[in-house]
Amino acid sequence: MELISVIVPVYNIELYIEECIKSILNQTYGKIEILLIDDGSTDRSGEICRKYAQIDSRIKVLRKENGGLSSARNYGMNYAMGDYYLFVDGDDTVEEDICQKLWDLLKKENAEIVISALYREKKKGQRKKGRIERYNSKTAIKQMLKEKTFNTSAWGKLFKKELFDGIEFPENKIYEDLGTIYKVFHKAEKIIFYNMPLYYYRKREGSIMLQSFHKKKLDIIDISEEQIEFLKKCYPSLERTAYNRLVRYCISFFKEIVQSKDMENPSIPVLQNCVRKGYPYYLLSGYKATSKMFGLLLCFDYRMACKVYGWLSRIKNESDFNCF
C-alpha cells in the first residue's frame, strides 16, 4: 500500500472545512496524509484545522501568507510525501472510499490518473455502480475541453506524483486548473474515468467563479491562448476544440456584462477580439444556433448582438438570459 497525499487549500471557509476534514479522515484506504494548507485565513478555518491535527496524526497544517488557490496547492505539493496526489477543495466533501476505489483502479488498469465522477450536492440514493472509460492523453484532453464527461478541475482526480514534475499551478490567476491539468494529462499514457460519484462539489455563495463578470475572468484568455499554442504543437487536431471552449466562455461573460447593464465595460473589446479569432471554429461547432448568431453579431456590433439575442431568447423561452 502506497501513501496518498490529500492536499486541501483552506481560506476563510470556517462553515465548511470541518465537514471536509471529517470526510477525508473517514477514508477506508489505510495510508494517507492530509495536508491542510491554511492560506492566510482570517476566520476560524485555521483554528479548526489545528484542532483536528491534534486529534489525528495523519493531518499536517501548513500556514502561509495568502496567495490564492494555486499558491496553496503548489505549497502543499512541496511538502507532500506521498506517491500520489488527491486534491480536495476545502468546502467540498468526498466519499469514504474515494482513495481506495481510485487507487485500486489505478493499479488494476496500470494507469497514471483516475478520475471520479462528481455530484453538485450529496443526496441519498445517488450512488450507483460505475462504468469505466479509458483514455490516452489526447482523448482525455479532448474530453476535458468538451466538459461533457469530466472537466478541467484538479479535484476528484488521483494523480501519480511524478506527473507534476516541472508543473505548477499558475499563481495570481483564476482558471488555474485549465492552465495546468492538460499538461499533466499530456504526460500520462493511460487515464481512467470512473463514472461513480465519489466527490461532492459545493456551489458556494461568494465563490469567485460564481460571481458576475469581473475583469479577473479575462485570465481565461491568456491561459487558453497558452494552451492553444501547446495543442498546436502536440495535438493539432484539438486546436478547434480549445478555441470553441474559449469562445463559449467569452460569450457567457458577455451575457454577464449585459445582465449587469454595464454596456461600457472596458473588457468588451477584449472579449470581441477573442470571439473574432475563434469564431470560424465556433461556427462549425455543435453549439446552439442562437449562441452562434449571438457570437457572429458580437464580432461586429455588440449592442445589436444584445438586442437580437434577447429577441431569440424570448422566442425560445430561454429564461436563463435576459438582455434587458
Side-chain angles (χ1 to χ4, degrees), residues 253-267:
F253 296 157
F254 193 83
K255 293 178 188 177
E256 293 176 8
I257 291 174
V258 172
Q259 288 173 326
S260 68
K261 304 186 187 304
D262 184 13
M263 297 310 295
E264 304 304 324
N265 192 299
S267 296

Side-chain angles (χ1 to χ4, degrees), residues 77 83-85 106 111-114 158-168 180-181 183-191:
M77 288 192 290
D83 304 290
Y84 306 92
Y85 293 151
L106 187 142
E112 295 106 320
I113 302 170
V114 183
L158 184 66
F159 301 93
K160 275 193 173 182
K161 180 179 182 176
E162 57 263 31
L163 294 177
F164 277 88
D165 289 347
I167 296 175
E168 290 188 333
T180 307
I181 301 304
K183 299 175 184 177
V184 181
F185 279 11
H186 172 66
K187 296 173 70 174
E189 293 184 6
K190 191 173 185 181
I191 300 165

Side-chain angles (χ1 to χ4, degrees), residues 91-136:
D91 51 356
D92 297 335
T93 60
V94 294
E95 285 281 5
E96 64 182 12
D97 54 355
I98 186 172
C99 288
Q100 187 69 61
K101 286 192 176 298
L102 297 189
W103 186 81
D104 284 346
L105 269 175
L106 187 142
K107 289 298 180 181
K108 179 181 178 182
E109 294 286 335
N110 193 28
E112 295 106 320
I113 302 170
V114 183
I115 304 167
S116 163
L118 66 92
Y119 272 119
R120 299 295 177 181
E121 59 180 311
K122 189 171 183 177
K123 295 179 181 178
K124 290 184 179 180
Q126 281 183 322
R127 192 165 170 178
K128 299 178 181 179
K129 185 176 181 180
R131 70 180 187 277
I132 295 171
E133 298 178 8
R134 299 169 179 85
Y135 297 88
N136 58 32

Side-chain angles (χ1 to χ4, degrees), residues 26-256:
N26 288 334
Q27 289 304 298
T28 58
Y29 187 82
K31 197 171 182 181
I32 64 172
E33 65 169 358
I34 305 168
L35 303 177
L36 304 178
I37 316 303
D38 180 4
D39 191 35
S41 295
T42 57
D43 64 359
R44 293 183 56 252
S45 297
E47 177 186 335
I48 294 169
C49 291
R50 290 188 290 275
K51 179 187 77 171
Y52 277 91
Q54 293 175 351
I55 297 172
D56 198 305
S57 62
R58 294 175 295 174
I59 295 178
K60 299 176 185 176
V61 180
L62 304 173
R63 182 170 173 83
K64 59 183 287 296
E65 292 185 2
N66 179 251
L69 181 60
S70 290
S71 176
R73 286 178 179 162
N74 292 336
Y75 197 80
M77 288 192 290
N78 287 335
Y79 285 90
M81 302 298 293
D83 304 290
Y84 306 92
Y85 293 151
L86 178 69
F87 296 100
V88 178
D89 280 2
D91 51 356
D92 297 335
T93 60
V94 294
E95 285 281 5
E96 64 182 12
D97 54 355
I98 186 172
C99 288
Q100 187 69 61
K101 286 192 176 298
L102 297 189
W103 186 81
D104 284 346
L105 269 175
L106 187 142
K107 289 298 180 181
K108 179 181 178 182
E109 294 286 335
N110 193 28
E112 295 106 320
I113 302 170
V114 183
I115 304 167
S116 163
L118 66 92
Y119 272 119
R120 299 295 177 181
E121 59 180 311
K122 189 171 183 177
K123 295 179 181 178
K124 290 184 179 180
Q126 281 183 322
R127 192 165 170 178
K128 299 178 181 179
K129 185 176 181 180
R131 70 180 187 277
I132 295 171
E133 298 178 8
R134 299 169 179 85
Y135 297 88
N136 58 32
S137 58
K138 179 181 178 179
T139 56
I141 292 172
K142 182 177 182 179
Q143 188 63 56
M144 177 189 72
L145 291 172
K146 288 186 173 183
E147 294 186 302
K148 291 184 178 179
T149 302
F150 50 86
N151 59 26
T152 62
S153 62
W155 36 258
K157 299 173 175 66
L158 184 66
F159 301 93
K160 275 193 173 182
K161 180 179 182 176
E162 57 263 31
L163 294 177
F164 277 88
D165 289 347
I167 296 175
E168 290 188 333
F169 292 91
E171 299 190 13
N172 301 314
K173 290 183 179 292
I174 61 175
Y175 301 102
E176 62 285 326
D177 293 348
L178 179 63
T180 307
I181 301 304
Y182 74 92
K183 299 175 184 177
V184 181
F185 279 11
H186 172 66
K187 296 173 70 174
E189 293 184 6
K190 191 173 185 181
I191 300 165
I192 301 297
F193 172 69
Y194 185 41
N195 191 26
M196 177 181 285
L198 301 172
Y199 190 100
Y200 295 92
Y201 171 78
R202 188 191 305 270
K203 275 191 171 183
R204 178 170 58 89
E205 288 187 16
S207 169
I208 192 169
M209 301 305 291
L210 298 180
Q211 294 173 6
S212 58
F213 182 81
H214 48 85
K215 188 177 179 180
K216 196 64 180 165
K217 288 191 176 184
L218 294 181
D219 283 351
I220 197 173
I221 296 177
D222 291 338
I223 287 175
S224 294
E225 288 179 345
E226 178 185 326
Q227 180 190 73
I228 288 167
E229 288 304 310
F230 176 90
L231 295 176
K232 283 181 180 178
K233 296 176 182 178
C234 300
Y235 309 100
S237 63
L238 297 185
E239 178 185 358
R240 176 189 301 272
T241 307
Y243 263 121
N244 284 339
R245 185 184 194 278
L246 177 57
V247 171
R248 176 167 60 88
Y249 269 79
C250 288
I251 288 174
S252 177
F253 296 157
F254 193 83
K255 293 178 188 177
E256 293 176 8

